[in-house]
Amino acid sequence: MEKETIISYIKDLCTRPSPTGFTKKCEKYLMEEFKKLGYQPYQNNKGNIIVPIYENENNKNDGLLLSAHIDTLGLMVRSIKEEGGLQVTNLGGFPLNYGEFENVKIFTRDGKEFEGVFRLNEPSVHGSDTPRVSKRNFDEMEVVLDEIVESDEDVEKLGIGAGDFVAFDPRFRYSNGFIKSRHLDDKASSGVLLALAKEIKKKI
């Protein structure tokens, strides 16, 4: 397999937001890519993408299954604070300090997208020891929107509400032979499988 192909697929997957429960865009990308390669992918009732590579008509029970997942860790809007910040909860059991000061995207039910940052409620270190001693939990942290909002009503007018998905910026980098990114679990494997399918198609 060509290294550049693998890197390109992994980048495409990592940079497509898919926090668990919000994977449709990533699913669509995979379906389209497999079809471009000449395969006939399909999805079952659970949303899994299944791509037959070789089909043995003589023994359909004889085969090898390779699998990977594209859902990632993320956040979900729990409520809107009076001053316009977003109270969130986590999708996945990661320590919240892993996401501190990360840029995020918020996806509303009507298809709008907004950006913001996940940070402490009181992040300033000037004249305060609060950032050094504060616990990293959902009472002490919030999402601040990249919008001019001063109240919960302002946020609601944007269309943001409880249950909206929040995805972390993957910060994808390829440096000196190393891929650095959020969501490599398990989009790296998904990208490798896509590259493998492309390589197989060349040899059929």
Side-chain angles (χ1 to χ4, degrees):
M1 290 185 290
E2 295 180 359
K3 180 175 68 174
E4 291 76 14
T5 299
I6 298 173
I7 295 168
S8 177
Y9 280 143
I10 293 175
K11 180 178 180 180
D12 284 349
L13 287 164
C14 285
T15 53
R16 279 174 168 75
S18 57
T20 186
F22 187 79
T23 58
K24 292 298 183 184
K25 291 183 178 182
C26 218
E27 291 171 30
K28 182 180 178 183
Y29 166 78
L30 285 171
M31 290 290 288
E32 291 174 349
E33 288 301 312
F34 279 116
K35 287 177 182 177
K36 286 178 186 176
L37 294 175
Y39 293 103
Q40 295 181 318
Y42 63 93
Q43 290 184 271
N44 62 15
N45 292 335
K46 294 289 187 179
N48 296 309
I49 296 172
I50 300 168
V51 188
I53 303 296
Y54 293 117
E55 293 193 80
N56 187 341
E57 293 297 330
N58 297 322
N59 187 356
K60 291 188 176 182
N61 294 320
D62 182 24
L64 175 66
L65 175 67
L66 302 177
S67 67
H69 66 85
I70 55 172
D71 62 312
T72 69
L73 303 174
L75 301 169
M76 179 179 281
V77 177
R78 191 173 72 188
S79 62
I80 304 171
K81 296 182 175 182
E82 289 185 4
E83 72 281 4
L86 302 182
Q87 193 87 42
V88 294
T89 188
N90 59 325
L91 299 173
F94 60 96
L96 295 189
N97 56 298
Y98 284 11
E100 186 174 355
F101 278 108
E102 288 288 3
N103 293 321
V104 298
K105 276 192 175 180
I106 300 95
F107 300 89
T108 70
R109 283 179 171 77
D110 59 0
K112 295 177 183 176
E113 297 181 13
F114 297 92
E115 296 196 16
V117 63
F118 182 54
R119 64 171 177 89
L120 286 168
N121 299 336
E122 302 293 339
S124 177
V125 297
H126 300 291
S128 172
D129 214 30
T130 301
R132 297 183 179 87
V133 300
S134 290
K135 292 183 178 180
R136 271 54 181 176
N137 59 42
F138 290 118
D139 292 328
E140 302 292 337
M141 303 184 77
E142 64 182 352
V143 168
V144 176
L145 294 169
D146 296 348
E147 301 286 335
I148 305 300
V149 292
E150 298 179 351
S151 67
D152 50 356
E153 288 88 356
D154 289 342
V155 176
E156 289 169 355
K157 287 177 182 176
L158 295 175
I160 297 173
D164 288 343
F165 289 92
V166 181
F168 287 110
D169 185 337
R171 293 188 288 109
F172 184 94
R173 296 287 186 278
Y174 179 68
S175 173
N176 196 32
F178 293 90
I179 294 176
K180 302 182 291 183
S181 180
R182 284 188 177 276
H183 315 318
L184 288 175
D185 176 12
D186 194 26
K187 289 184 175 181
S189 297
S190 301
V192 169
L193 291 182
L194 190 49
L196 178 61
K198 182 175 183 178
E199 189 70 17
I200 291 172
K201 185 59 73 173
K202 289 181 181 177
K203 297 179 180 180
I204 293 178

